[in-house]
Amino acid sequence: MSSATISSRRVYSGRVINLDVDRVRFPDGSEGELEMVRHPGASAVVPFLSDPEGVDPQILMIRQYRYAADGYIYEIPAGRLDPGEEPEVCAARELREETGCTALRMDRLFTMYTTPGFTDEKIHLFMATGLTSGDAERESDEFVELVPMPLSTALAMLERGEIQDAKTALGLLYAAGFRTNS
Amino acid sequence: MSSATISSRRVYSGRVINLDVDRVRFPDGSEGELEMVRHPGASAVVPFLSDPEGVDPQILMIRQYRYAADGYIYEIPAGRLDPGEEPEVCAARELREETGCTALRMDRLFTMYTTPGFTDEKIHLFMATGLTSGDAERESDEFVELVPMPLSTALAMLERGEIQDAKTALGLLYAAGFRTNS
């Protein structure tokens, strides 16, 4: 919903997303229909296993099965906001559920629209430091392998096109910049 | 469709996207249902108005109305692939349609999954150089203002959170890195 909404028709209600077809008033006063995937938003987190100010710190990447990519791809831990949940709380929860780790500190890096042409999804990016490991609690359709690696290795994989997930690419570049600037 | 697809049911066919609910075989052999927004893919382009090797080159950003964001947001020119269209051809076409500019040269920067949890959309990022201006040919529901600015200004806006579009953030960071590395 927005100030431009004239009417909204839900054409699909799903487990992860809902799809609306909305009648919209455009900036020039004309009207049209738009398809809009409604999403609650998500948080994603770059987990540092060693001091982010140290030489080439260790981070915790994941390899996750993605049907959309027809296989496993490299990502950072992430997941959807629960109703009313703060992005930082979601980031800590998803980190714990997917990797078993709890973080002493969570710093916000960036908030991104994933693809605003057809969805209102926003992802909030964080970096986590001061990690303690524990047991993961994954959902039954989550297939995740933990892959600790130096940040420099992740950046090299990004440069070679071996990392293609947008939130992961931005998280890594911001985490690398955060180190340089701080 | 993928090697994991058991069956696929189209629940919505739209102008921009289609939505399928697929029965899927997961890596552990179990089965489940997934919602998947099918998208043809897109190209996006960082247009350089001056020599990208020069001091603080000028780029061409756009301000585009996005219903999902309830207003205008800063982006780089982008649009969907036509059937069978090569990403580089799409990038040149979208640049011409949205800004009127034609480019002498188009260099590939990165290919990203926008949000692989629920869509197969990939965006191919390019940088365009050697621009000649002409007349834009926008679609009736595209509301776009051209905003030329120094690359340093765009990067500062990104740092202040005034640019939030994922493809634009990655395009700017890659275009800035391309300058440094080349």
Side-chain angles (χ1 to χ4, degrees):
Chain A
M1 298 309 107
S2 89
S3 57
T5 310
I6 297 168
S7 62
S8 183
R9 181 166 58 93
R10 177 132 306 173
V11 296
Y12 178 77
S13 294
R15 197 170 61 91
V16 175
I17 56 170
N18 297 312
L19 177 60
D20 292 342
V21 176
D22 287 7
R23 185 109 198 126
V24 170
R25 184 161 326 273
F26 290 116
D28 67 350
S30 67
E31 292 183 18
E33 282 207 332
L34 285 179
E35 301 144 7
M36 192 52 52
V37 174
R38 307 286 179 188
H39 189 284
S43 290
V45 52
V46 184
F48 277 84
L49 296 169
S50 66
D51 179 2
E53 302 301 315
V55 177
D56 200 8
Q58 196 80 359
I59 63 169
L60 184 56
M61 299 282 293
I62 64 174
R63 278 186 79 226
Q64 177 158 23
Y65 174 73
R66 290 296 193 182
Y67 178 60
D70 199 14
Y72 282 82
I73 64 173
Y74 286 93
E75 295 190 29
I76 52 175
R80 284 190 305 282
L81 297 175
D82 284 337
E85 189 176 39
E86 289 297 320
E88 187 173 330
V89 174
C90 174
R93 179 178 56 72
E94 289 289 345
L95 178 63
R96 196 178 59 246
E97 290 177 3
E98 291 193 352
T99 73
C101 294
T102 50
L104 274 181
R105 183 170 164 177
M106 196 72 80
D107 288 289
R108 188 184 278 260
L109 297 173
F110 191 64
T111 295
M112 63 185 243
Y113 282 105
T114 53
T115 183
F118 67 86
T119 180
D120 59 2
E121 183 190 26
K122 276 184 162 183
I123 297 182
H124 308 275
L125 290 171
F126 295 87
M127 61 180 275
T129 47
L131 297 195
T132 310
S133 61
D135 292 328
E137 302 161 24
R138 291 174 202 134
E139 294 176 49
S140 65
D141 63 350
E142 282 186 329
F143 299 93
V144 169
E145 298 166 10
L146 305 186
V147 189
M149 64 175 74
L151 178 58
S152 63
T153 301
L155 292 169
M157 291 172 65
L158 185 61
E159 187 156 343
R160 290 195 300 267
E162 294 164 22
I163 292 172
Q164 293 201 308
D165 174 53
K167 68 178 175 298
T168 303
L170 273 172
L172 291 172
L173 292 171
Y174 267 78
F178 185 92
R179 289 187 65 242
T180 309
N181 299 331
S182 62
Chain B
M1 300 305 110
S2 90
S3 58
T5 310
I6 296 167
S7 62
S8 184
R9 181 166 58 93
R10 176 132 306 173
V11 297
Y12 178 78
S13 294
R15 198 170 59 93
V16 174
I17 56 169
N18 296 313
L19 177 61
D20 292 343
V21 177
D22 287 8
R23 184 107 199 129
V24 170
R25 185 162 322 274
F26 291 116
D28 67 350
S30 67
E31 292 183 18
E33 283 208 331
L34 285 180
E35 300 145 6
M36 191 53 51
V37 174
R38 307 287 180 187
H39 189 284
S43 289
V45 53
V46 184
F48 278 83
L49 295 169
S50 66
D51 180 2
E53 303 301 315
V55 177
D56 200 9
Q58 195 81 358
I59 63 169
L60 185 55
M61 299 283 293
I62 63 174
R63 278 185 80 226
Q64 177 157 23
Y65 174 74
R66 290 296 192 182
Y67 177 59
D70 198 16
Y72 281 82
I73 64 174
Y74 286 94
E75 295 191 30
I76 53 175
R80 284 189 306 281
L81 297 174
D82 283 338
E85 189 176 42
E86 288 298 320
E88 187 173 332
V89 175
C90 175
R93 180 179 55 72
E94 290 289 346
L95 177 63
R96 196 179 59 248
E97 290 176 3
E98 291 193 351
T99 73
C101 293
T102 52
L104 274 180
R105 183 171 165 177
M106 196 71 81
D107 288 289
R108 187 184 279 260
L109 296 173
F110 190 64
T111 295
M112 65 184 241
Y113 283 105
T114 53
T115 183
F118 67 85
T119 180
D120 59 2
E121 182 189 28
K122 276 184 163 183
I123 298 182
H124 307 275
L125 290 172
F126 295 86
M127 61 180 276
T129 47
L131 298 196
T132 310
S133 61
D135 291 329
E137 302 162 24
R138 291 176 202 134
E139 294 176 50
S140 64
D141 63 351
E142 282 185 330
F143 299 92
V144 169
E145 298 165 10
L146 305 186
V147 189
M149 64 176 74
L151 179 57
S152 63
T153 301
L155 292 169
M157 290 172 66
L158 185 60
E159 188 156 342
R160 290 195 300 266
E162 294 165 20
I163 291 172
Q164 293 201 307
D165 174 52
K167 67 177 178 300
T168 303
L170 273 172
L172 292 172
L173 291 172
Y174 267 78
F178 186 92
R179 289 187 65 243
T180 310
N181 299 330
S182 60

